[in-house]
Amino acid sequence: MSGARGRRRTGAAAVTGMLTGALALALTGCGLVTTTKEDRAYAEKLAAAHHPGVLRVIEAHTLLPKSSGSEVVFAVTDDPDAVVRIRVDAEAGTCNTHDCREVLDQAIEKGRQEADALRAVVNSFRACGHEVLAVDPQTGAPWIAASLTNSTVSARIGELGGCARKWKEAAGGKDGGAVRGASVNVVSPAVAAKRHQGAKKQPTAMRLSGSSLLASLGSHAYYSVGFGAVDGRVDPSSGSARIVRPFKERQKFAAAVHGAVGDLLRAEHPRVRVSDYEWVWRLEPGTVDRVTGYVLYCEEPDGEKSCLGDRAVLVTTDLSGKPVGGLRHVGKVREGRGPLRLPPM
């Protein structure tokens, strides 16, 4: 009997504990919602007090991982391209943990500068006949749609280089001094047509950098075209392109290349081990169906250690990873487990 009562007490305590935990979780969830609402209301008061008629709150998000305050997003009433973001903590009366007036002033200035930079890239590529579909929020690189074939790729890359030069000149060096280069992402028109598009009421800077939009454009293989600079200006003739693949496609390609290269190397080195190292595979000039990159290998297994690769070959393959032509041996590229030293391609 006492054992049964003990089990019942234990069971009751467990149920009580679960209910208490559920209640705490519910209260925590409610608290987050209330905090966000309070932070949003506080942000609206700040905007009305310090920049009346200039800012309009459009979103407020709880910060994750959880920290004090909420991210509040403003539209700028006299600039449809600009977006302003700050962290507001109504309870502490701070923004980004500092005095709100100064933080808000700086955020508005930054938002306007970013809108200017956005207009520079959008207008420059529009003048070249390309709609900017999206802009990478980290690099500023635009996404455009174009069909690339072996017969058109060289001319198209040169054309995009001219657009990139205009873009950087229009930006007027606002991204920190002399231009060091530029990049442009190119998707097929079919992928562009199915892209996720943000609400038209959103500021342009917000709509063109949305995570859902970028994810939809990157859900299929695309081309990233890079350009160098000469004397602080983009050099249109320096363009080179690489294919950027979704994770599973990239893994499948790498496995095919490493397997094929390993088979070719075993003719001379029966115990060869190919490294898992993944190189950036660049298009062969004048093609969209041939890529070239490095594969690292070890002539002999190194005990229990994985093969970092102390030797390398340069190989050209088709898009499935099948080598086209022979391997170009580079020789020693690493001493032991030291730094990798690959020659320029």
Side-chain angles (χ1 to χ4, degrees):
M1 287 290 290
S2 60
R5 285 196 299 270
R7 284 193 295 273
R8 284 196 294 271
R9 282 196 297 268
T10 301
V15 171
T16 301
M18 286 189 292
L19 290 174
T20 302
L23 179 60
L25 182 61
L27 289 175
T28 301
C30 292
L32 288 177
V33 172
T34 301
T35 299
T36 300
K37 289 181 178 179
E38 291 173 352
D39 291 337
R40 177 172 182 145
Y42 186 63
E44 290 172 340
K45 290 179 181 178
L46 288 171
H50 301 306
H51 296 277
V54 176
L55 297 177
R56 175 173 56 86
V57 175
I58 53 177
E59 289 185 4
H61 308 282
T62 299
L63 293 165
L64 295 174
K66 181 68 175 72
S67 61
S68 59
S70 308
E71 182 190 60
V72 178
V73 183
F74 301 86
V76 181
T77 56
D78 62 353
D79 189 339
D81 298 325
V83 63
V84 174
R85 291 182 173 89
I86 61 172
R87 191 178 86 188
V88 175
D89 187 344
E91 184 178 358
T94 61
C95 298
N96 299 354
T97 71
H98 292 80
D99 176 71
C100 284
R101 175 62 187 268
E102 182 179 354
V103 169
L104 194 57
D105 290 348
Q106 292 174 351
I108 292 172
E109 182 180 359
K110 179 182 178 182
R112 291 191 185 280
Q113 290 175 348
E114 290 176 345
D116 286 341
L118 177 66
R119 282 187 284 270
V121 64
V122 169
N123 294 337
S124 297
F125 277 85
R126 182 177 293 146
C128 289
H130 296 288
E131 176 192 0
V132 171
L133 308 175
V135 174
D136 188 300
Q138 303 300 321
T139 66
W143 294 70
I144 62 109
S147 296
L148 300 181
T149 66
N150 286 349
S151 61
T152 64
V153 62
S154 296
R156 184 55 59 88
I157 288 176
E159 172 200 338
L160 292 178
C163 300
R165 171 177 278 194
K166 291 178 181 177
W167 155 35
K168 289 296 183 176
E169 289 177 347
K174 293 177 182 177
D175 48 1
V179 172
R180 292 183 292 273
S183 61
V184 181
N185 298 318
V186 183
V187 298
S188 72
V191 171
K194 296 180 181 179
R195 71 188 185 279
H196 180 279
Q197 299 188 52
K200 292 184 178 180
K201 64 180 181 180
Q202 291 179 331
T204 313
M206 188 175 180
R207 180 167 48 83
L208 293 188
S209 63
S211 57
S212 296
L213 169 60
L214 295 171
S216 67
L217 292 173
S219 62
H220 296 77
Y222 63 91
Y223 302 101
S224 177
V225 186
F227 300 93
V230 176
D231 297 329
R233 301 180 71 200
V234 170
D235 178 9
S237 67
S238 66
S240 65
R242 61 187 178 92
I243 296 179
V244 182
R245 306 171 190 256
F247 178 76
K248 289 185 178 180
E249 285 186 31
R250 189 172 72 246
Q251 294 293 94
K252 183 179 179 181
F253 174 81
V257 173
H258 292 170
V261 170
D263 290 343
L264 292 172
L265 289 172
R266 284 188 191 93
E268 294 185 26
H269 308 288
R271 289 164 54 81
V272 73
R273 181 178 295 177
V274 175
S275 169
D276 291 334
Y277 178 83
E278 288 189 40
W279 182 249
V280 175
W281 291 82
R282 300 195 179 278
L283 291 178
E284 277 288 284
T287 76
V288 293
D289 56 6
R290 296 288 185 271
V291 292
T292 297
Y294 285 110
V295 174
L296 307 185
Y297 67 96
C298 305
E299 291 182 352
E300 295 283 338
D302 187 13
E304 297 299 322
K305 298 177 182 177
S306 62
C307 169
L308 289 179
D310 60 355
R311 295 180 178 274
V313 291
L314 196 62
V315 57
T316 297
T317 79
D318 62 17
L319 297 184
S320 69
K322 180 180 178 181
V324 179
L327 305 179
R328 287 163 277 178
H329 290 266
V330 176
K332 199 85 168 177
V333 293
R334 192 200 308 267
E335 292 297 334
R337 303 180 76 81
L340 184 63
R341 294 184 175 88
L342 287 168
M345 288 177 58

